Amino acid sequence: MNVLIISSSFPRFKGDPRGPFVLDEAVGLYHKGLDVYVLTQRYSGLPPFSEMQGIKVYRFWWVHKDDAPIQRKNLRNLDQLLSYFISAISNAIRIVRKHKINIIYAQWTIPSGLIGMIAGWITRRPVVLAVHGSDLVGQLANKPIIKLLNKLIISNANFTIARHQVLHKLLVALVGNRARAIMIPVCIDLAKFRPNIGHSLHTKFPRLLSYKKEGFLVVMTVRNLYPVYGISYLIEAARRVYEINKSKKMVFVVVGDGPQRREIEELIARYNLKDKVILLGSIPHSDIPELLSMADIFVDPCIRGQGVASIEAMAMGKPVVGFYAKNAAVKVIDGVTGYLVPLGNTEMLAQKIGMLIDKHLRSSMAANAVKFARRYDCDRIANEIVEIFLSVISTLNCPT
């Protein structure tokens, strides 16, 4: 079976933090015997075709002013909008015909789902859509034109995969019985993210290693510095944690970068946390396992719930503290694999982080977290997706 994955987020190189879970899932499908092709946008310095871990990657040309990842806000200019969609659709059609693609697998409704839907119409190939979160949740998703497009794309998909249960409910509410949907989470590579991974004496993070040697408790998050990811909440909580636990040796580590960096730095300075909160900046995804091996507690302050990084942390035996709210993705079992607190409640966030200072409690939750994370194994997820592909192809009497 030949499958074309269309995704606006995909690694540019080995270890790139942009969409690594899309690559992991593609590799999982490849290991199941599928011929996997990926279509994504091209960046300066990258070839139009390459291979990554057996995956054949096509990158289409489009008009862009920088190498920022393609997000909906980057498509507001007409030249970008037209060049992106025309190039993507024409390349998708060419790949489908050239490689005799059996099924199109689009990641996110916009832009990839729309591209897949049009390419599927023209080539008469079935389309499976994966909905991740920002598709249906957030300020942009509530705009009438986006709602209309989402409804059109989901209604015309042959099958839709919702990445968590809340999304499944939302898309069923959006399109009713036409949804043809199931919940399958994103996958993680458990060979990379596993408990008891040691950190090298020649680590790329010597400052963090020195903290570990001195017996500091490391509280970590892996989130970029955008308002939606709630890093300011984490800084507020860090201030309270230090006020309550003045005698404890602790350090907070933020892995990620973004437009909020100056604001976060000012907040850190205002609370006199300069030596207590480390902003590591953007780190290659291939280095995340080593970083997580140095963490004792993982915090995911995202206002939309817990993301892939939380699962990676749990797979490595780290209890996770995060927010819960309406329509938020919940991946933490409260009191079992970590703690959930009401959205924006930094006092409770600090309280739960403080509770996990207790080593015995951390160890108990760590064991539970490792067991829980097994359900996200790429091999298992790939099996479920292949079953959906075969079911869709069989129903439509398409050749395999």
Side-chain angles (χ1 to χ4, degrees):
M1 185 194 310
N2 297 343
V3 58
L4 172 62
I5 297 174
I6 303 176
S7 180
S8 59
S9 182
F10 194 80
R12 297 162 298 169
F13 47 81
K14 183 179 180 182
D16 188 15
R18 297 179 184 179
F21 56 90
V22 180
L23 175 60
D24 286 342
E25 190 171 83
V27 171
L29 295 172
Y30 171 75
H31 287 156
K32 295 300 173 185
L34 278 65
D35 284 330
V36 182
Y37 300 81
V38 169
L39 178 64
T40 188
Q41 67 270 6
R42 190 174 173 184
Y43 294 105
S44 299
L46 293 180
F49 176 79
S50 62
E51 287 199 27
M52 299 179 72
Q53 298 175 247
I55 309 303
K56 301 171 184 67
V57 183
Y58 286 90
R59 299 181 187 273
F60 62 86
W61 176 90
W62 62 293
V63 175
H64 58 106
K65 295 178 173 61
D66 53 40
D67 279 345
I70 182 69
Q71 297 173 336
R72 295 181 184 90
K73 65 182 182 181
N74 298 114
L75 292 177
R76 287 177 180 167
N77 294 333
L78 185 60
D79 58 343
Q80 291 181 316
L81 181 67
L82 291 176
S83 71
Y84 191 93
F85 279 100
I86 291 172
S87 183
I89 292 166
S90 61
N91 274 274
I93 294 168
R94 178 178 62 85
I95 293 167
V96 168
R97 290 172 174 167
K98 178 180 178 180
H99 297 290
K100 296 180 172 58
I101 297 296
N102 303 107
I103 196 160
I104 296 171
Y105 184 29
Q107 305 286 331
W108 291 278
T109 54
I110 303 171
S112 304
L114 183 57
I115 293 162
M117 181 185 73
I118 296 171
W121 277 346
I122 294 172
T123 61
R124 298 187 178 183
R125 294 299 191 278
V127 177
V128 172
L129 173 69
V131 178
H132 290 264
S134 57
D135 314 64
L136 302 180
V137 179
Q139 186 177 2
L140 187 63
N142 289 324
K143 291 187 175 182
I145 183 63
I146 300 299
K147 274 190 172 182
L148 181 64
L149 283 173
N150 280 338
K151 190 170 184 178
L152 176 69
I153 295 163
I154 294 168
S155 297
N156 282 279
N158 297 93
F159 208 92
T160 303
I161 295 172
R163 291 312 195 177
H164 57 80
Q165 199 60 47
V166 172
L167 281 179
H168 184 268
K169 292 178 181 178
L170 287 174
L171 68 88
V172 169
L174 182 67
V175 300
N177 294 332
R178 292 171 293 170
R180 299 180 294 278
I182 192 171
M183 197 285 286
I184 300 178
V186 297
C187 77
I188 62 168
D189 187 345
L190 294 183
K192 297 176 185 174
F193 296 92
R194 63 184 190 278
N196 303 319
I197 289 180
H199 39 268
S200 169
L201 294 176
H202 306 289
T203 177
K204 298 177 184 177
F205 314 104
R207 182 183 178 190
L208 195 52
L209 182 60
S210 68
Y211 275 111
K212 292 298 293 182
K213 288 180 176 179
E214 293 172 24
F216 276 72
L217 192 78
V218 176
V219 182
M220 186 176 293
T221 189
V222 181
R223 281 294 196 181
N224 283 323
L225 308 185
Y226 288 83
V228 69
Y229 297 133
I231 301 302
S232 58
Y233 290 131
L234 178 61
I235 306 305
E236 295 277 358
R239 176 179 64 89
R240 288 294 295 136
V241 170
Y242 282 117
E243 287 176 353
I244 298 168
N245 304 278
K246 293 179 180 178
S247 63
K248 299 295 183 182
K249 298 169 73 174
M250 300 178 67
V251 63
F252 284 70
V253 179
V254 178
V255 182
D257 214 337
Q260 263 197 315
R261 186 177 183 99
R262 178 174 291 183
E263 178 185 332
I264 298 300
E265 287 174 338
E266 290 173 354
L267 197 60
I268 290 169
R270 186 189 313 160
Y271 294 146
N272 296 316
L273 298 174
K274 188 175 181 180
D275 297 324
K276 298 173 181 177
V277 177
I278 301 172
L279 300 181
L280 279 185
S282 183
I283 300 295
H285 189 254
S286 53
D287 291 331
I288 298 300
E290 182 181 7
L291 275 172
L292 287 174
S293 73
M294 300 187 204
D296 298 288
I297 302 166
F298 190 86
V299 181
D300 192 341
C302 179
I303 65 175
R304 291 180 183 162
Q306 298 84 61
V308 178
S310 289
I311 302 301
E312 293 171 344
M314 284 192 276
M316 293 189 66
K318 314 300 174 182
V320 176
V321 184
F323 289 131
Y324 68 84
K326 182 181 179 182
N327 296 336
V330 175
K331 296 182 176 71
V332 173
I333 303 176
D334 189 34
V336 179
T337 63
Y339 290 113
L340 293 171
V341 303
L343 177 61
N345 192 326
T346 56
E347 187 69 31
M348 284 191 68
L349 189 64
Q351 178 187 346
K352 297 302 183 182
I353 293 171
M355 288 173 64
L356 287 169
I357 292 174
D358 183 283
K359 186 175 181 179
H360 296 293
L361 179 59
R362 276 203 321 275
S363 297
S364 173
M365 286 193 169
N368 295 334
V370 171
K371 293 177 184 176
F372 176 77
R374 289 174 187 161
R375 68 182 67 184
Y376 294 87
D377 176 46
C378 280
D379 184 70
R380 174 178 175 176
I381 300 300
N383 280 332
E384 294 183 34
I385 294 173
V386 169
E387 286 182 14
I388 289 171
F389 289 171
L390 291 172
S391 175
V392 169
I393 289 171
S394 174
T395 300
L396 299 174
N397 294 317
C398 298
T400 58

